[in-house]
């Protein structure tokens, strides 16, 4: 890699290891994130750096979900800048003491990477904010993108220093490292790689505005397992893959799998949890108990509603205050009896938008307190300072209701922490003065736009933009009966306590191992340049067809059978003109005129079209509509299978109904089949409609002699027993019966229907009791998963191959 984001291309990947891997222990987990789970501080007296583990870091808490013997290494940046002369010594120290490998990004790259591309472009976009105007967000900047790629590149080379690609699992976290998987997959094709996105993934309408959308999508698709907090986020990602890359997904035994270049990329949907042990330890601290007593005394006789949010534009703090103001305006009886305590965590980034959000929050709180407050009553208490962990825990424990009003948030664990704190403990009960026999209660008001919302079924969900509704909900939450609050709390606590951070981490690792278990079963090839790089995984016996190899077999054999698909094989799939070129006609005639050859075109096209286009080829055999009609040469009549086609009267009106309801779809009428096409329809809607149509037709045709098949952008209904494979079998059987057993069989096709031919030719060769096994060349067009043994790159390669064969069937006259 000579420039940021530019990766050199190779052909076939070998099975080599990284240098020095033999000295690395086996089966480790390498956790990669933007920041290491460390606190760093320079000692004023000695000028030496001091490091301690951040016990509140999710990355550190994840270890509880791994087997005890698991060796975990962390790769990431430090929150402080280290001078270049100190970096080597500190890196060695951190590795020895904490198993942490720091990346040490240069200052200019760090600034553009994190504060530039991550926080000013990716983070707003993933939270549904578009830079419609220059003062409404930063426009895409190619320099910031290059810094982002460079930072990911530095991460990839740091991982190379410690990884054993054969045995280690790599787990990458969050949107800071979206293109890192491509770089790691480039370094080693069988890397065991998982990724978890902790932010929302936007809908395709938002995401597609990103100029580097394909590079980021392909980065994620180079993983083995991709994790999301909610199905909505996963659904948006899958929709982007469908609309922008033409990929489809399916659910296999409860696991969502996305087929990508022969690999199955699995999708994991599981929200992260909290560390119960850590939180309960804080609950039992004397400082927490003292703070609880202080808060209860301060707000005695008043109902406390709590909000804990970062200061940014998406947490909806000002919307929460406006809803609270509406509540006090509408419910006079609550004035003096209800307090909203809003703890404001420091902003994670700086900028004009953060400053504006802060000013609006303060002005709104000031106005509410001036209008509805008094000398001994302050309706809104803003705590905008560093708040110790024990103090937050105390507020959680005392508040009768917690409200999370974010307009968009990836997960938000505040409700989970609130539930555990309200559950309390025996030590805390003594401090709070709650009777031991009093069951715990809690109430949650949660925005429907946060990731934790689906998992909290007992919470009251709100639209944060609807002030009246939020105000009414807050009133409902505090006035609800204790028995109802108790039932909701019990339901939430059962979920939160059983789905903690250890459960989340253990479940993800288990699925990652499952996703990587067949890595060694396939042959891998590199495709693409730069960030478009991907790995093509195919069967070990699958290889490119070499023309010289086929020609050699062709020359030494005496009875040959050649089966050719039409669209996508002889004629490019992208061709708007269906008829074959003059060159193709000449080649087919040359092959057919050789008495040693039996040549068949086997197509899904109708017989009238094929008859017109291939009229010059008098000795060519044609199988139309997947073999329902067969003609052995131009002089023979069309043979058709005896089949009952009355089901077409049932299928026609149903397909017409779906055509009218799906813009961009159309019907194709064949003599033996009906096809519903949705290639030009909306990808998501077309796919949804095709699945519904498939189910509909299968139900109504359950007792009819017809088969319903769903292919790429089509749903087709055809008679039972009609396949291209049966055509090949019929031709080979007749050749044996006529005393001309084939010793050379070649079959070339490009789509799913041709897979029947590939499979049937192999089985027919073994069942026809031939004296000698024929040379078989089953070949698909384009490198992709197939039952064929060989592949060629495109239709042009097919024509070149046939041209070489035709040359030996029509030798040049001697001088």
């Amino acid at each position: 890699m000579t420039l940021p984001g530019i990766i050199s291309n190779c052909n076939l990947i070998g099975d080599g290891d990284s240098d020095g891997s033999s000295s690395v222990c086996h089966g480790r987990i390498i956790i990669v994130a933007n920041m290491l789970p460390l606190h760093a501080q320079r000692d004023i007296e000695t000028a030496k750096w001091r490091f301690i583990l951040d016990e509140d870091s999710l990355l550190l808490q994840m270890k509880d979900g791994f087997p005890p013997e698991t060796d975990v290494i962390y790769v990431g940046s430090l929150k402080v800048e280290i001078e270049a002369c100190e970096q080597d010594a500190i890196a060695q120290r951190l590795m020895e003491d904490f198993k942490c490998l720091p990346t040490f990004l240069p200052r200019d790259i760090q600034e553009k990477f994190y504060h530039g591309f991550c926080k000013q472009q990716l983070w707003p976009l993933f939270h549904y904010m578009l830079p419609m105007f220059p003062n409404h967000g930063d426009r895409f900047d190619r320099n910031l993108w290059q810094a982002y790629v460079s930072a990911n590149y530095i991460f990839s080379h740091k991982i190379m220093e410690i990884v054993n690609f054969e045995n280690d699992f790599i787990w990458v976290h969050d949107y800071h490292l979206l293109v890192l998987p491509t770089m790691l997959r480039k370094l080693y094709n069988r890397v065991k790689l998982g990724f978890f996105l902790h932010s929302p993934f936007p809908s395709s309408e938002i995401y597609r505005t990103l100029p580097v959308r394909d590079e980021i999508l392909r980065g994620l698709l180079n993983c083995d397992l991709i994790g999301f907090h909610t199905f909505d986020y996963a659904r948006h990602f899958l929709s982007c893959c469908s609309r922008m890359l033409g990929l489809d997904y399916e659910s296999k035994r409860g696991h969502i799998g996305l087929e990508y270049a022969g690999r199955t990329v699995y999708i994991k949907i599981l929200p992260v949890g909290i560390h119960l042990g850590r939180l309960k330890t804080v609950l039992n601290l004397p400082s927490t108990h003292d703070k609880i007593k202080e808060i209860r005394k301060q707000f005695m006789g008043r109902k406390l509603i709590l909000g804990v949010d970062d200061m940014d534009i998406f947490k909806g703090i000002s919307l929460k205050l406006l809803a609270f103001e509406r509540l006090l305006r509408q419910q006079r009886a609550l004035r003096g009896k209800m307090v909203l305590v809003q703890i404001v965590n420091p902003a994670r980034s700086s900028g004009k938008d953060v400053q504006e959000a802060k000013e609006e929050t303060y002005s709104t709180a000031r106005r509410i307190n001036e209008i509805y407050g008094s000398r001994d009553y302050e309706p809104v208490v803003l705590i905008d300072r560093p708040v110790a962990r024990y103090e937050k825990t105390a507020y959680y424990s005392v508040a009768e209701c917690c409200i999370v009003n974010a307009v968009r948030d990836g997960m938000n664990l505040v409700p989970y922490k609130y539930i555990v704190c309200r559950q309390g403990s025996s030590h805390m009960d003594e401090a709070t003065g709650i009777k031991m026999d009093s069951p715990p209660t809690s109430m949650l008001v949660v925005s429907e736009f946060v990731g934790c919302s689906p998992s909290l079924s007992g919470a009251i969900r709100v639209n944060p933009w609807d002030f009246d509704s939020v105000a009414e909900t807050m009133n409902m939450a505090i006035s609800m009966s204790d028995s109802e609050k108790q039932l909701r709390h019990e339901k939430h606590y059962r979920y939160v306590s059983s789905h903690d951070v250890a459960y989340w981490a253990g479940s993800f690792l288990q699925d990652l191992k499952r996703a990587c278990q067949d890595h060694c079963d396939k042959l891998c090839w590199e495709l693409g340049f730069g960030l478009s790089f991907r790995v093509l995984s195919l069967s070990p016996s699958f290889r490119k067809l070499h023309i010289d190899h086929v020609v050699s077999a062709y020359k030494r054999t005496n009875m040959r059978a050649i089966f050719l698909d039409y669209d996508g094989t002889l004629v490019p799939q992208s061709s708007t003109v269906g008829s074959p070129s003059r060159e193709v006609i000449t080649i087919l005639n040359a092959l057919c005129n050789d008495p040693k050859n039996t040549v068949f075109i086997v197509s899904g096209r109708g017989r009238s079209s094929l008859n017109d286009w291939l009229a010059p080829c008098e000795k060519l055999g044609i199988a139309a509509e997947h073999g329902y009609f067969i003609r052995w040469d131009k002089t023979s009549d069309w043979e058709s299978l005896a089949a009952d086609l009355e089901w077409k009267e049932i299928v026609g009106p149903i397909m017409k109904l779906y055509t009218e309801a799906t813009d961009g779809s159309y019907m194709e009428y064949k003599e033996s089949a009906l096809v519903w096409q949705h290639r030009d329809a909306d990808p998501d809607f077309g796919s949804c409609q095709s699945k519904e149509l498939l189910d509909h037709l299968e139900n109504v045709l359950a007792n009819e002699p017809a088969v319903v098949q769903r292919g790429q952008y089509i749903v087709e209904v055809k008679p039972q027993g009609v396949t291209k494979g049966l055509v090949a079998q019929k031709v080979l059987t007749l050749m044996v019966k006529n005393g001309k057993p084939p010793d050379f069989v070649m079959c070339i096709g490009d789509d799913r229907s041709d897979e029947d031919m590939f499979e049937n030719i192999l089985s027919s060769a073994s069942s026809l009791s031939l004296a000698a096994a024929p040379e078989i060349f089953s070949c698909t067009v384009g490198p992709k998963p197939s039952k064929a043994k060989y592949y060629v790159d495109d239709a042009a390669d097919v024509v070149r191959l046939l041209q070489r064969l035709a040359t030996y069937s029509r030798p040049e006259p001697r001088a």
Side-chain angles (χ1 to χ4, degrees):
M1 187 182 290
T2 55
L3 293 173
I6 307 300
I7 304 178
S8 60
N9 185 61
C10 297
N11 290 324
L12 178 64
I13 302 178
D15 295 330
D17 273 338
S18 58
D19 293 338
S21 61
S22 59
S23 63
V24 187
C25 60
H26 294 264
R28 302 170 307 176
I29 300 174
I30 299 175
I31 297 176
V32 190
N34 180 41
M35 292 293 173
L36 290 170
L38 291 172
H39 290 303
Q41 187 176 8
R42 190 185 285 275
D43 190 292
I44 299 176
E45 296 179 359
T46 63
K48 292 184 178 180
W49 285 103
R50 296 174 55 196
F51 300 95
I52 58 171
L53 289 172
D54 180 3
E55 298 292 341
D56 290 326
S57 171
L58 173 70
L59 304 178
L60 205 62
Q61 296 170 356
M62 287 165 52
K63 291 179 66 175
D64 289 0
F66 304 151
E69 68 279 4
T70 305
D71 192 9
V72 180
I73 297 178
Y74 298 94
V75 178
S77 298
L78 289 167
K79 298 172 185 176
V80 295
E81 187 176 349
I82 306 293
E83 296 294 332
C85 59
E86 300 177 282
Q87 289 178 2
D88 288 343
I90 286 179
Q92 184 176 353
R93 176 181 162 193
L94 293 181
M95 194 65 188
E96 292 173 354
D97 296 348
F98 304 104
K99 291 193 175 180
C100 291
L101 183 63
T103 53
F104 299 126
L105 299 181
R107 182 186 297 179
D108 58 331
I109 291 181
Q110 170 67 24
E111 185 67 25
K112 293 178 181 178
F113 155 68
Y114 183 73
H115 294 290
F117 194 78
C118 289
K119 284 300 179 183
Q120 298 304 320
Q121 296 187 0
L122 271 186
W123 188 76
L125 182 82
F126 277 30
H127 289 75
Y128 288 74
M129 189 176 83
L130 295 175
M132 303 297 292
F133 307 100
N135 59 353
H136 188 61
D138 292 347
R139 300 281 173 83
F140 178 79
D141 186 334
R142 184 67 59 175
N143 290 327
L144 299 183
W145 164 246
Q146 289 293 344
Y148 181 85
V149 173
S150 297
N152 279 246
Y153 174 66
I154 293 171
F155 270 81
S156 71
H157 274 253
K158 278 295 175 182
I159 294 169
M160 279 289 291
E161 294 179 13
I162 56 166
V163 69
N164 177 348
F165 278 123
E166 285 288 348
N167 299 290
D168 294 346
F169 291 87
I170 301 177
W171 186 352
V172 182
H173 288 264
D174 223 0
Y175 62 93
H176 315 91
L177 302 169
L178 289 169
V179 297
L180 176 62
T182 295
M183 298 172 181
L184 294 175
R185 186 70 62 185
K186 173 71 176 178
L187 292 169
Y188 186 73
N189 64 307
R190 293 189 178 95
V191 58
K192 301 171 183 178
L193 185 56
F195 186 98
F196 198 94
L197 184 67
H198 293 272
S199 76
F201 196 94
S203 66
S204 60
E205 287 75 15
I206 298 293
Y207 180 79
R208 71 201 314 172
T209 64
L210 186 63
V212 289
R213 61 191 191 183
D214 285 359
E215 290 88 334
I216 288 176
L217 277 185
R218 293 190 186 279
L220 289 173
L221 290 169
N222 274 314
C223 298
D224 296 295
L225 178 67
I226 309 170
F228 299 93
H229 286 305
T230 71
F231 174 69
D232 269 352
Y233 303 160
R235 178 169 57 86
H236 293 157
F237 170 74
L238 293 169
S239 176
C240 289
C241 291
S242 172
R243 291 172 179 273
M244 295 165 208
L245 301 179
L247 304 178
D248 201 5
Y249 70 93
E250 60 181 347
S251 182
K252 299 177 180 178
R253 296 184 179 180
H255 299 279
I256 298 176
L258 189 68
E259 292 299 323
Y260 180 63
R263 297 172 47 247
T264 300
V265 181
Y266 289 94
I267 306 299
K268 175 82 172 175
I269 301 168
L270 184 66
V272 71
I274 60 173
H275 195 286
L276 265 72
R278 178 70 176 156
L279 194 52
K280 287 181 177 180
T281 299
V282 179
L283 268 173
N284 292 323
L285 291 175
S287 55
T288 304
H289 301 163
D290 293 341
K291 190 63 183 179
I292 290 174
K293 294 176 183 177
E294 179 186 326
I295 296 171
R296 288 175 62 83
K297 182 179 179 180
Q298 178 184 355
F299 298 102
M300 186 177 295
R302 296 189 173 115
K303 295 182 181 293
L304 185 63
I305 297 178
L306 178 66
V308 180
D309 302 281
D310 295 345
M311 176 51 74
D312 69 51
I313 58 176
F314 297 111
K315 291 298 188 285
I317 298 176
S318 59
L319 298 179
K320 186 190 307 182
L321 297 180
L322 291 172
F324 186 67
E325 181 182 28
R326 191 72 53 91
L327 176 62
L328 295 178
R329 184 188 307 160
Q330 295 173 349
Q331 302 290 336
R332 291 178 175 271
L334 296 178
R335 298 175 187 175
K337 298 180 180 179
M338 182 182 290
V339 177
L340 172 63
V341 175
Q342 178 62 55
I343 297 176
V344 181
N345 297 324
R348 298 188 184 184
S349 62
S350 59
K352 180 182 177 183
D353 52 353
V354 174
Q355 191 60 37
E356 289 176 351
K358 191 170 185 177
E359 291 173 0
E360 183 182 7
T361 298
Y362 268 93
S363 62
T364 305
R366 195 180 306 113
R367 184 180 69 245
I368 295 172
N369 289 336
E370 288 174 356
I371 297 175
Y372 301 104
S374 60
R375 182 176 299 177
D376 60 344
Y377 171 59
E378 195 176 30
V380 176
V381 177
L382 271 183
I383 305 178
D384 188 6
R385 57 174 170 78
V387 179
R389 191 182 305 110
Y390 76 87
E391 185 176 353
K392 282 185 185 176
T393 304
Y395 274 106
Y396 283 135
S397 303
V398 173
E400 291 193 33
C401 174
C402 180
I403 177 169
V404 176
N405 206 53
V407 297
R408 189 71 60 180
D409 208 351
M411 182 59 192
N412 201 314
L413 295 174
V414 165
Y416 286 17
K417 295 175 182 177
Y418 169 71
I419 292 296
V420 174
C421 291
R422 289 292 290 179
Q423 180 71 14
S425 66
S426 57
H427 293 87
M428 199 192 76
D429 289 343
E430 295 174 7
T432 57
I434 300 175
K435 296 180 181 178
M436 295 293 291
D437 58 348
S438 176
T441 63
S442 64
M443 273 307 302
L444 279 169
V445 177
V446 178
S447 164
E448 59 193 47
F449 300 112
V450 299
C452 64
S453 176
S455 62
L456 298 170
S457 55
I460 306 178
R461 297 187 180 94
V462 294
N463 174 6
W465 303 98
D466 187 349
F467 307 144
D468 290 324
S469 176
V470 177
E472 183 182 343
T473 300
M474 284 193 283
N475 187 27
M476 183 196 309
I478 61 170
S479 59
M480 192 175 287
S481 66
D482 286 345
S483 59
E484 179 71 14
K485 292 179 181 178
Q486 178 189 343
L487 289 173
R488 291 173 183 257
H489 173 82
E490 289 175 355
K491 188 176 186 180
H492 287 157
Y493 186 74
R494 279 197 302 271
Y495 177 84
V496 173
S497 59
S498 60
H499 291 74
D500 61 355
V501 66
Y503 174 83
W504 170 77
S507 179
F508 188 92
L509 180 61
Q510 183 180 9
D511 281 0
L512 179 58
K513 290 179 177 178
R514 184 187 297 113
C516 299
Q517 63 187 2
D518 64 343
H519 271 194
C520 296
D521 297 340
K522 293 184 177 181
L523 186 67
C524 298
W525 297 72
E526 289 185 351
L527 294 177
F529 293 89
L531 295 178
S532 296
F533 169 83
R534 59 200 181 278
V535 168
L536 178 65
S537 296
L538 303 169
S539 168
S541 61
F542 188 72
R543 56 191 184 275
K544 189 168 184 176
L545 185 65
H546 292 288
I547 293 180
D548 291 341
H549 180 42
V550 183
V551 170
S552 175
Y554 185 86
K555 289 166 63 177
R556 66 173 178 266
T557 50
N558 296 309
M559 201 55 60
R560 314 179 190 108
I562 301 173
F563 302 94
L564 303 170
D565 176 43
Y566 188 77
D567 293 289
T569 303
L570 291 178
V571 177
Q573 194 71 259
S574 58
S575 175
T576 55
V577 181
S579 58
S581 65
R582 183 177 299 178
E583 180 188 13
V584 169
I585 294 294
T586 304
I587 292 171
L588 290 176
N589 272 326
L591 292 173
C592 293
N593 289 333
D594 188 331
K596 297 179 180 180
N597 293 344
T598 299
V599 185
F600 258 83
I601 297 294
V602 188
S603 173
R605 290 268 191 178
R607 59 175 173 172
S608 60
S609 298
L610 293 174
N611 188 58
D612 293 341
W613 292 335
L614 301 170
C617 304
E618 297 188 354
K619 295 182 180 181
L620 178 67
I622 300 176
E625 299 190 16
H626 300 292
Y628 184 81
F629 295 105
I630 295 180
R631 190 188 72 184
W632 297 90
D633 55 42
K634 190 174 181 180
T635 60
S636 61
D637 296 328
W638 286 98
E639 300 174 14
S640 63
L641 296 176
D644 179 8
L645 301 179
E646 291 183 2
W647 48 262
K648 293 176 73 174
E649 297 178 4
I650 303 172
V651 174
I654 295 174
M655 282 192 174
K656 185 177 180 182
L657 180 68
Y658 280 81
T659 302
E660 292 172 351
T662 312
D663 188 32
S665 67
Y666 63 92
M667 288 177 63
E668 184 181 344
Y669 295 88
K670 298 181 179 179
E671 292 182 72
S672 67
L674 289 175
V675 184
W676 185 73
Q677 298 264 6
H678 62 94
R679 181 181 298 275
D680 298 326
D682 177 89
D684 285 343
F685 187 50
S687 178
C688 177
Q689 289 288 76
S690 69
K691 291 174 184 177
E692 179 64 28
L693 176 58
L694 179 71
D695 184 57
H696 191 164
L697 291 174
E698 284 179 339
N699 286 331
V700 300
L701 298 175
N703 298 317
E704 298 290 336
V707 176
V708 188
Q709 291 182 331
R710 182 168 173 253
Q712 190 172 16
Y713 304 115
I714 68 165
V715 175
E716 182 174 21
V717 185
K718 60 183 182 181
Q720 286 180 344
V722 177
T723 67
K724 289 185 176 183
L726 291 178
V727 174
Q729 184 179 0
K730 186 173 183 178
V731 172
L732 294 176
T733 302
L734 188 62
M735 290 178 69
V736 173
K737 185 178 179 181
N738 291 339
K740 299 179 179 180
D743 51 4
F744 175 98
V745 180
M746 185 173 73
C747 175
I748 307 178
D750 76 307
D751 106 5
R752 293 180 185 177
S753 62
D754 299 309
E755 297 295 317
D756 290 329
M757 275 202 294
F758 304 146
E759 187 175 24
N760 230 309
I761 284 172
L762 292 173
S763 61
S764 296
S766 59
S767 64
L768 290 175
S769 302
L770 299 172
E775 299 243 25
I776 298 176
F777 298 93
S778 54
C779 179
T780 187
V781 180
K784 58 180 179 285
S786 173
K787 294 174 183 176
K789 293 179 65 176
Y790 304 95
Y791 78 92
V792 292
D793 289 329
D794 50 32
D797 272 1
V798 176
V799 174
R800 278 192 289 271
L801 168 63
L802 297 177
Q803 175 68 63
R804 285 284 301 277
L805 299 183
T807 301
Y808 287 98
S809 287
R810 184 192 54 205
E812 294 295 331
R814 292 184 180 179

